[in-house]
Amino acid sequence: MSKRISILGSTGSIGRQSLEVIAACGMTAAALTAHSNSRLLEEQCRQFHPEAAVMMDEGAAADLRVRLADTDIRVLSGMDGLIEAATLPSADTVLTAVVGMVGLRPTLAAIQAGKRIAFANKETLVCAGELVMRAAREQGAEILPVDSEHSALFQSLEGCRDRGEVKRLILTCSGGPFYGKKASELQNMTRKEALQRPNWSMGAKITVDSATLMNKGLEFIEAMHLYHMPPEKISIVIHRESIIHSLVEYCDNAMIAQLGTPDMRLPIQYALTWPSRAPGPARPLDLWDCGPLTFGRPDLETFRCLDLALKAARRGGTAGAILNGANEAAVALFLADKIGFLDIADRVEGAMEQVPVVETPSLEDVLQADQAAREAVWHSAV
Ligand code: NDP
Ligand code: MG
Protein backbone atom coordinates (compact mmCIF):
# COMPACT_ATOMS: atom_id res chain seq x y z
CA MET A 1 0.00 0.00 0.00
CA SER A 2 1.83 3.14 -1.12
CA LYS A 3 0.70 6.00 1.05
CA ARG A 4 2.63 8.93 2.39
CA ILE A 5 1.66 10.14 5.84
CA SER A 6 2.56 13.19 7.92
CA ILE A 7 2.20 12.47 11.62
CA LEU A 8 1.65 15.45 13.89
CA GLY A 9 2.77 14.24 17.33
CA SER A 10 4.79 11.20 16.23
CA THR A 11 6.58 10.81 19.59
CA GLY A 12 3.37 10.31 21.58
CA SER A 13 1.43 7.15 22.33
CA ILE A 14 -0.72 7.37 19.18
CA GLY A 15 2.20 8.70 17.11
CA ARG A 16 4.49 5.78 18.01
CA GLN A 17 1.77 3.22 17.32
CA SER A 18 1.03 4.96 14.00
CA LEU A 19 4.67 4.55 12.96
CA GLU A 20 4.44 0.83 13.76
CA VAL A 21 1.39 0.61 11.50
CA ILE A 22 3.06 2.62 8.74
CA ALA A 23 6.13 0.36 8.81
CA ALA A 24 4.01 -2.81 8.82
CA CYS A 25 1.82 -1.61 5.93
CA GLY A 26 4.71 -0.43 3.76
CA MET A 27 3.67 3.24 3.92
CA THR A 28 6.14 6.13 4.22
CA ALA A 29 6.41 9.23 6.42
CA ALA A 30 6.41 12.70 4.83
CA ALA A 31 6.81 14.69 8.06
CA LEU A 32 7.16 13.86 11.75
CA THR A 33 6.59 16.33 14.57
CA ALA A 34 7.01 16.56 18.34
CA HIS A 35 6.89 19.13 21.10
CA SER A 36 10.28 18.75 22.82
CA ASN A 37 11.42 15.11 22.63
CA SER A 38 14.23 15.68 20.11
CA ARG A 39 16.00 12.44 21.05
CA LEU A 40 13.07 10.24 20.05
CA LEU A 41 12.28 12.36 16.99
CA GLU A 42 15.88 11.90 15.82
CA GLU A 43 15.51 8.12 16.21
CA GLN A 44 12.23 8.15 14.28
CA CYS A 45 13.75 10.31 11.52
CA ARG A 46 16.67 7.90 11.10
CA GLN A 47 14.24 5.02 10.75
CA PHE A 48 11.57 6.68 8.56
CA HIS A 49 13.52 9.33 6.57
CA PRO A 50 10.80 12.00 6.38
CA GLU A 51 11.31 15.15 4.30
CA ALA A 52 10.67 17.38 7.30
CA ALA A 53 10.91 17.11 11.08
CA VAL A 54 9.26 19.70 13.30
CA MET A 55 9.87 20.56 16.95
CA MET A 56 7.29 22.87 18.49
CA ASP A 57 9.86 24.04 21.00
CA GLU A 58 12.56 26.29 19.48
CA GLY A 59 15.36 25.06 21.75
CA ALA A 60 14.52 21.44 20.92
CA ALA A 61 14.50 22.34 17.22
CA ALA A 62 18.05 23.71 17.52
CA ASP A 63 19.08 20.46 19.23
CA LEU A 64 17.42 18.35 16.51
CA ARG A 65 19.22 20.35 13.79
CA VAL A 66 22.53 19.35 15.32
CA ARG A 67 21.43 15.73 15.74
CA LEU A 68 20.32 15.49 12.09
CA ALA A 69 23.14 17.56 10.59
CA ASP A 70 24.41 14.54 8.62
CA THR A 71 21.02 14.03 6.89
CA ASP A 72 19.04 16.04 4.32
CA ILE A 73 15.94 16.19 6.56
CA ARG A 74 14.65 19.75 6.94
CA VAL A 75 14.15 20.69 10.59
CA LEU A 76 11.40 23.23 11.21
CA SER A 77 9.96 24.73 14.38
CA GLY A 78 6.91 26.25 16.04
CA MET A 79 3.38 26.61 14.72
CA ASP A 80 4.64 27.60 11.24
CA GLY A 81 6.58 24.36 11.09
CA LEU A 82 3.58 22.34 12.24
CA ILE A 83 1.44 23.94 9.53
CA GLU A 84 4.09 23.22 6.92
CA ALA A 85 4.19 19.58 8.05
CA ALA A 86 0.39 19.46 7.73
CA THR A 87 0.44 20.76 4.17
CA LEU A 88 3.51 19.14 2.54
CA PRO A 89 2.59 18.47 -1.10
CA SER A 90 4.02 14.94 -1.04
CA ALA A 91 1.75 13.75 1.81
CA ASP A 92 -1.70 12.37 1.01
CA THR A 93 -2.77 11.85 4.65
CA VAL A 94 -2.19 13.84 7.83
CA LEU A 95 -2.55 11.92 11.08
CA THR A 96 -3.28 14.41 13.84
CA ALA A 97 -1.90 12.92 17.06
CA VAL A 98 -0.81 16.01 18.97
CA VAL A 99 -2.49 16.49 22.32
CA GLY A 100 -4.64 19.57 22.88
CA MET A 101 -6.20 22.28 20.79
CA VAL A 102 -2.76 23.21 19.45
CA GLY A 103 -3.81 20.84 16.64
CA LEU A 104 -6.60 23.13 15.44
CA ARG A 105 -4.72 25.40 13.02
CA PRO A 106 -2.60 22.63 11.43
CA THR A 107 -5.75 20.52 10.99
CA LEU A 108 -7.57 23.37 9.23
CA ALA A 109 -4.49 23.96 7.06
CA ALA A 110 -4.34 20.25 6.12
CA ILE A 111 -8.02 20.31 5.17
CA GLN A 112 -7.48 23.42 3.01
CA ALA A 113 -4.59 21.60 1.33
CA GLY A 114 -6.96 18.73 0.44
CA LYS A 115 -5.37 16.09 2.67
CA ARG A 116 -7.16 13.10 4.08
CA ILE A 117 -7.25 13.57 7.85
CA ALA A 118 -6.76 10.61 10.18
CA PHE A 119 -8.13 12.27 13.32
CA ALA A 120 -6.86 11.37 16.79
CA ASN A 121 -6.62 14.90 18.21
CA LYS A 122 -10.12 15.09 19.69
CA GLU A 123 -9.61 18.45 21.45
CA THR A 124 -9.64 20.14 18.03
CA LEU A 125 -13.11 18.80 17.24
CA VAL A 126 -14.39 19.64 20.70
CA CYS A 127 -13.23 23.26 20.34
CA ALA A 128 -14.12 23.90 16.75
CA GLY A 129 -16.03 20.92 15.39
CA GLU A 130 -18.39 23.03 13.30
CA LEU A 131 -15.57 25.02 11.68
CA VAL A 132 -13.51 21.91 11.00
CA MET A 133 -16.38 19.83 9.58
CA ARG A 134 -17.62 22.75 7.45
CA ALA A 135 -14.11 23.25 6.02
CA ALA A 136 -13.91 19.51 5.29
CA ARG A 137 -17.28 19.54 3.52
CA GLU A 138 -16.31 22.58 1.45
CA GLN A 139 -12.94 21.10 0.47
CA GLY A 140 -14.27 17.57 0.04
CA ALA A 141 -11.61 16.43 2.53
CA GLU A 142 -12.08 12.96 4.01
CA ILE A 143 -12.06 12.72 7.80
CA LEU A 144 -11.27 9.27 9.18
CA PRO A 145 -11.56 8.77 12.94
CA VAL A 146 -8.69 7.23 14.89
CA ASP A 147 -10.32 7.38 18.33
CA SER A 148 -11.43 3.78 18.92
CA GLU A 149 -15.07 4.61 19.74
CA HIS A 150 -15.45 6.83 16.70
CA SER A 151 -13.78 4.28 14.49
CA ALA A 152 -16.26 1.71 15.83
CA LEU A 153 -19.14 4.08 15.02
CA PHE A 154 -17.67 4.73 11.57
CA GLN A 155 -17.43 0.99 10.91
CA SER A 156 -20.94 0.39 12.27
CA LEU A 157 -22.29 3.13 9.98
CA GLU A 158 -20.62 1.80 6.84
CA GLY A 159 -23.58 -0.39 5.88
CA CYS A 160 -26.01 2.49 6.45
CA ARG A 161 -27.56 3.82 3.24
CA ASP A 162 -29.81 6.42 4.90
CA ARG A 163 -28.58 8.36 7.95
CA GLY A 164 -32.23 9.05 8.77
CA GLU A 165 -32.44 5.39 9.84
CA VAL A 166 -29.95 5.93 12.67
CA LYS A 167 -31.73 6.19 16.00
CA ARG A 168 -28.80 6.54 18.36
CA LEU A 169 -25.03 6.37 18.68
CA ILE A 170 -23.85 4.54 21.79
CA LEU A 171 -20.35 5.28 23.04
CA THR A 172 -18.84 2.66 25.31
CA CYS A 173 -16.76 3.78 28.29
CA SER A 174 -14.45 1.60 30.38
CA GLY A 175 -15.30 3.63 33.50
CA GLY A 176 -11.64 4.50 34.07
CA PRO A 177 -9.38 3.51 36.98
CA PHE A 178 -11.70 5.04 39.58
CA TYR A 179 -14.82 3.22 38.47
CA GLY A 180 -17.18 2.50 41.39
CA LYS A 181 -15.59 5.07 43.69
CA LYS A 182 -17.46 7.98 45.27
CA ALA A 183 -16.30 11.61 45.58
CA SER A 184 -15.14 11.12 49.20
CA GLU A 185 -12.74 8.39 48.03
CA LEU A 186 -11.43 10.53 45.16
CA GLN A 187 -10.60 13.55 47.32
CA ASN A 188 -6.97 12.57 47.83
CA MET A 189 -6.30 10.75 44.58
CA THR A 190 -2.79 11.49 43.43
CA ARG A 191 -1.28 12.04 40.03
CA LYS A 192 0.33 8.57 40.25
CA GLU A 193 -2.99 6.82 40.95
CA ALA A 194 -4.71 8.73 38.15
CA LEU A 195 -2.01 7.75 35.69
CA GLN A 196 -2.64 4.03 36.16
CA ARG A 197 -5.16 2.86 33.60
CA PRO A 198 -6.29 -0.70 33.03
CA ASN A 199 -6.96 -1.23 29.33
CA TRP A 200 -4.80 1.07 27.15
CA SER A 201 -1.44 2.83 27.46
CA MET A 202 -1.85 6.53 26.65
CA GLY A 203 -0.34 9.99 27.10
CA ALA A 204 -0.61 11.67 30.53
CA LYS A 205 -3.34 14.18 29.63
CA ILE A 206 -5.78 11.66 28.14
CA THR A 207 -5.04 9.26 31.01
CA VAL A 208 -6.21 11.89 33.50
CA ASP A 209 -9.20 12.62 31.24
CA SER A 210 -10.02 8.92 31.37
CA ALA A 211 -9.89 8.95 35.17
CA THR A 212 -12.23 11.98 35.44
CA LEU A 213 -14.38 10.64 32.54
CA MET A 214 -13.85 13.99 30.81
CA ASN A 215 -12.45 11.87 27.99
CA LYS A 216 -15.88 10.36 27.40
CA GLY A 217 -17.41 13.84 27.48
CA LEU A 218 -14.92 15.06 24.88
CA GLU A 219 -15.71 11.97 22.80
CA PHE A 220 -19.43 12.72 23.07
CA ILE A 221 -18.85 16.16 21.51
CA GLU A 222 -16.43 14.64 18.99
CA ALA A 223 -19.17 12.18 17.91
CA MET A 224 -21.74 14.98 17.54
CA HIS A 225 -19.49 16.75 15.07
CA LEU A 226 -18.13 13.75 13.19
CA TYR A 227 -21.57 12.25 12.61
CA HIS A 228 -23.79 15.38 12.69
CA MET A 229 -25.86 14.01 15.54
CA PRO A 230 -27.72 16.07 18.15
CA PRO A 231 -26.80 15.35 21.77
CA GLU A 232 -30.14 13.66 22.50
CA LYS A 233 -29.25 10.96 19.98
CA ILE A 234 -25.99 9.94 21.65
CA SER A 235 -25.72 7.78 24.78
CA ILE A 236 -22.88 6.54 26.93
CA VAL A 237 -22.76 3.05 28.41
CA ILE A 238 -20.18 1.76 30.89
CA HIS A 239 -18.54 -1.35 29.48
CA ARG A 240 -15.64 -2.38 31.71
CA GLU A 241 -14.13 -4.93 29.35
CA SER A 242 -13.41 -2.53 26.43
CA ILE A 243 -14.30 -5.24 23.92
CA ILE A 244 -17.23 -3.51 22.25
CA HIS A 245 -15.80 -0.21 21.05
CA SER A 246 -19.16 1.50 20.39
CA LEU A 247 -22.51 0.80 18.73
CA VAL A 248 -25.09 2.26 16.39
CA GLU A 249 -28.76 1.67 17.09
CA TYR A 250 -31.01 1.82 14.02
CA CYS A 251 -34.70 2.74 13.79
CA ASP A 252 -35.73 -0.94 13.76
CA ASN A 253 -33.81 -1.37 17.06
CA ALA A 254 -31.03 -3.38 15.42
CA MET A 255 -27.69 -2.59 17.03
CA ILE A 256 -24.48 -2.84 15.03
CA ALA A 257 -21.19 -2.82 16.92
CA GLN A 258 -17.48 -3.27 16.33
CA LEU A 259 -15.66 -5.62 18.70
CA GLY A 260 -12.00 -6.39 19.16
CA THR A 261 -9.21 -6.66 21.72
CA PRO A 262 -8.29 -3.17 22.95
CA ASP A 263 -5.45 -2.12 20.66
CA MET A 264 -5.25 1.36 19.14
CA ARG A 265 -3.27 0.05 16.19
CA LEU A 266 -6.49 -1.37 14.75
CA PRO A 267 -8.39 1.95 14.43
CA ILE A 268 -5.16 3.73 13.43
CA GLN A 269 -4.58 1.24 10.64
CA TYR A 270 -8.17 1.37 9.42
CA ALA A 271 -8.00 5.18 9.20
CA LEU A 272 -4.90 4.80 7.02
CA THR A 273 -6.02 1.89 4.82
CA TRP A 274 -9.73 2.77 4.42
CA PRO A 275 -11.68 1.79 2.38
CA SER A 276 -9.56 -1.36 2.36
CA ARG A 277 -8.53 -3.52 5.26
CA ALA A 278 -5.14 -5.13 5.74
CA PRO A 279 -3.88 -7.85 8.12
CA GLY A 280 -3.23 -6.10 11.42
CA PRO A 281 -1.16 -6.47 14.58
CA ALA A 282 -4.06 -6.53 17.09
CA ARG A 283 -4.47 -9.85 18.90
CA PRO A 284 -7.57 -11.65 17.59
CA LEU A 285 -10.52 -11.59 19.97
CA ASP A 286 -11.13 -15.04 21.41
CA LEU A 287 -14.85 -15.10 22.15
CA TRP A 288 -14.56 -18.41 24.02
CA ASP A 289 -12.10 -16.88 26.44
CA CYS A 290 -12.96 -13.19 26.68
CA GLY A 291 -15.44 -13.70 29.54
CA PRO A 292 -18.79 -12.00 30.09
CA LEU A 293 -19.44 -8.52 28.71
CA THR A 294 -21.10 -6.13 31.14
CA PHE A 295 -22.96 -2.82 30.69
CA GLY A 296 -24.01 -0.09 33.09
CA ARG A 297 -24.91 3.57 33.52
CA PRO A 298 -22.24 6.24 34.07
CA ASP A 299 -22.19 7.91 37.51
CA LEU A 300 -22.58 11.58 36.59
CA GLU A 301 -22.73 12.69 40.22
CA THR A 302 -19.25 11.41 41.06
CA PHE A 303 -17.70 12.02 37.65
CA ARG A 304 -18.76 15.62 37.30
CA CYS A 305 -16.45 16.31 34.37
CA LEU A 306 -18.63 14.06 32.23
CA ASP A 307 -21.73 15.90 33.35
CA LEU A 308 -20.09 19.26 32.55
CA ALA A 309 -19.14 18.03 29.09
CA LEU A 310 -22.71 16.90 28.42
CA LYS A 311 -23.89 20.39 29.45
CA ALA A 312 -21.38 21.97 27.05
CA ALA A 313 -22.54 19.60 24.30
CA ARG A 314 -26.15 20.71 24.77
CA ARG A 315 -25.16 24.39 25.02
CA GLY A 316 -23.23 24.46 21.71
CA GLY A 317 -21.39 27.52 20.31
CA THR A 318 -18.09 28.14 22.10
CA ALA A 319 -19.14 26.04 25.13
CA GLY A 320 -16.98 23.17 23.82
CA ALA A 321 -13.94 25.45 23.47
CA ILE A 322 -14.49 26.79 27.00
CA LEU A 323 -14.88 23.28 28.43
CA ASN A 324 -11.79 22.03 26.62
CA GLY A 325 -9.54 25.03 27.36
CA ALA A 326 -10.51 24.91 31.04
CA ASN A 327 -9.91 21.17 31.17
CA GLU A 328 -6.50 21.40 29.47
CA ALA A 329 -5.44 24.08 31.95
CA ALA A 330 -6.86 22.24 34.98
CA VAL A 331 -5.30 18.89 34.01
CA ALA A 332 -1.92 20.60 33.53
CA LEU A 333 -2.25 22.03 37.08
CA PHE A 334 -3.17 18.58 38.41
CA LEU A 335 -0.20 16.97 36.63
CA ALA A 336 2.04 19.64 38.19
CA ASP A 337 0.64 18.71 41.65
CA LYS A 338 -0.84 22.22 41.99
CA ILE A 339 -4.48 21.15 42.45
CA GLY A 340 -6.29 18.01 43.60
CA PHE A 341 -8.23 15.50 41.52
CA LEU A 342 -11.69 16.85 42.39
CA ASP A 343 -10.53 20.42 41.77
CA ILE A 344 -10.38 19.65 38.04
CA ALA A 345 -14.19 19.58 37.79
CA ASP A 346 -14.52 22.62 40.09
CA ARG A 347 -12.17 24.67 37.94
CA VAL A 348 -13.85 23.62 34.70
CA GLU A 349 -17.26 24.43 36.13
CA GLY A 350 -16.02 27.84 37.31
CA ALA A 351 -14.70 28.67 33.83
CA MET A 352 -17.96 27.56 32.21
CA GLU A 353 -19.89 29.87 34.54
CA GLN A 354 -17.54 32.78 33.98
CA VAL A 355 -16.81 32.82 30.24
CA PRO A 356 -19.68 33.90 27.97
CA VAL A 357 -20.68 31.59 25.12
CA VAL A 358 -20.64 32.85 21.51
CA GLU A 359 -23.35 31.15 19.46
CA THR A 360 -21.92 30.76 15.93
CA PRO A 361 -18.22 31.25 16.49
CA SER A 362 -15.47 32.23 14.08
CA LEU A 363 -11.97 30.82 14.53
CA GLU A 364 -11.06 33.99 16.40
CA ASP A 365 -14.02 33.48 18.80
CA VAL A 366 -12.88 29.91 19.46
CA LEU A 367 -9.31 30.98 20.19
CA GLN A 368 -10.55 33.75 22.50
CA ALA A 369 -12.93 31.40 24.35
CA ASP A 370 -10.07 28.94 24.82
CA GLN A 371 -7.77 31.62 26.23
CA ALA A 372 -10.45 33.11 28.51
CA ALA A 373 -11.25 29.64 29.89
CA ARG A 374 -7.58 28.93 30.62
CA GLU A 375 -7.23 32.27 32.40
CA ALA A 376 -10.36 31.58 34.46
CA VAL A 377 -8.78 28.29 35.60
CA TRP A 378 -5.37 29.83 36.38
CA HIS A 379 -6.88 32.67 38.41
CA SER A 380 -9.61 30.67 40.10
CA ALA A 381 -10.02 31.20 43.84
CA VAL A 382 -11.30 27.61 44.30
P1 NDP B 1 0.88 11.93 24.09
O1 NDP B 1 0.97 12.90 25.21
O2 NDP B 1 1.41 10.56 24.29
O3 NDP B 1 1.60 12.55 22.78
C1 NDP B 1 1.35 13.85 22.36
C2 NDP B 1 2.19 14.18 21.14
O4 NDP B 1 1.99 15.56 20.82
C3 NDP B 1 3.69 14.03 21.35
O5 NDP B 1 4.30 13.77 20.12
C4 NDP B 1 4.09 15.41 21.87
O6 NDP B 1 5.47 15.70 21.68
C5 NDP B 1 3.21 16.28 21.01
N1 NDP B 1 2.86 17.56 21.67
C6 NDP B 1 2.50 17.73 22.95
N2 NDP B 1 2.24 19.03 23.21
C7 NDP B 1 2.44 19.69 22.04
C8 NDP B 1 2.38 21.06 21.66
N3 NDP B 1 2.03 22.03 22.52
N4 NDP B 1 2.67 21.37 20.39
C9 NDP B 1 3.00 20.42 19.48
N5 NDP B 1 3.09 19.11 19.79
C10 NDP B 1 2.81 18.74 21.05
O7 NDP B 1 -0.66 11.88 23.67
P2 NDP B 1 -1.49 10.66 23.05
O8 NDP B 1 -0.74 10.07 21.92
O9 NDP B 1 -1.99 9.79 24.11
O10 NDP B 1 -2.77 11.44 22.48
C11 NDP B 1 -2.69 12.25 21.31
C12 NDP B 1 -4.10 12.66 20.90
O11 NDP B 1 -4.83 11.48 20.55
C13 NDP B 1 -4.90 13.32 22.03
O12 NDP B 1 -5.74 14.29 21.47
C14 NDP B 1 -5.73 12.18 22.60
O13 NDP B 1 -6.94 12.64 23.16
C15 NDP B 1 -6.00 11.38 21.34
N6 NDP B 1 -6.27 9.97 21.57
C16 NDP B 1 -5.34 9.20 22.23
C17 NDP B 1 -5.58 7.85 22.46
C18 NDP B 1 -4.56 6.98 23.12
O14 NDP B 1 -4.80 5.77 23.26
N7 NDP B 1 -3.41 7.49 23.52
C19 NDP B 1 -6.84 7.22 22.04
C20 NDP B 1 -7.71 8.10 21.29
C21 NDP B 1 -7.43 9.42 21.10
P3 NDP B 1 6.58 15.38 22.85
O15 NDP B 1 6.70 13.87 22.86
O16 NDP B 1 7.82 16.04 22.39
O17 NDP B 1 6.03 15.93 24.11
MG1 MG C 1 -11.44 6.84 22.80
Side-chain angles (χ1 to χ4, degrees), residues 54-217:
V54 183
M55 299 301 313
M56 194 65 182
D57 181 83
E58 299 289 343
D63 179 48
L64 189 66
R65 264 183 213 108
V66 174
R67 289 172 179 270
L68 293 177
D70 61 319
T71 72
D72 57 2
I73 298 169
R74 280 194 303 138
V75 177
L76 309 167
S77 64
M79 182 51 79
D80 289 347
L82 211 52
I83 289 176
E84 195 167 336
T87 54
L88 275 189
S90 70
D92 43 71
T93 301
V94 175
L95 196 150
T96 65
V98 293
V99 59
M101 74 90 79
V102 68
L104 174 55
R105 285 203 281 156
T107 302
L108 285 171
I111 290 172
Q112 301 299 346
K115 307 297 183 196
R116 172 187 283 190
I117 312 293
F119 225 119
N121 173 224
K122 65 190 78 176
E123 293 89 351
T124 282
L125 278 176
V126 172
C127 287
E130 270 159 36
L131 288 175
V132 169
M133 295 310 289
R134 192 186 320 135
R137 268 195 309 279
E138 284 168 8
Q139 295 295 323
E142 290 164 337
I143 307 265
L144 278 304
V146 165
D147 211 343
S148 59
E149 295 78 0
H150 304 77
S151 176
L153 293 174
F154 182 81
Q155 295 175 60
S156 302
L157 285 165
E158 280 190 299
C160 171
R161 282 170 290 276
D162 175 0
R163 281 296 173 90
E165 293 171 357
V166 174
K167 186 159 124 192
R168 194 161 61 116
L169 306 180
I170 303 166
L171 290 166
T172 51
C173 172
S174 76
F178 301 154
Y179 172 75
K181 296 204 184 306
K182 293 292 166 201
S184 56
E185 300 167 86
L186 295 177
Q187 188 73 45
N188 299 318
M189 277 303 167
T190 61
R191 175 182 195 270
K192 189 161 167 270
E193 287 161 307
L195 289 180
Q196 289 161 355
R197 192 170 192 266
N199 294 334
W200 318 82
S201 150
M202 310 177 296
K205 191 261 178 184
I206 185 178
T207 306
V208 175
D209 286 348
S210 299
T212 61
L213 298 199
M214 178 60 94
N215 183 51
K216 208 49 56 179

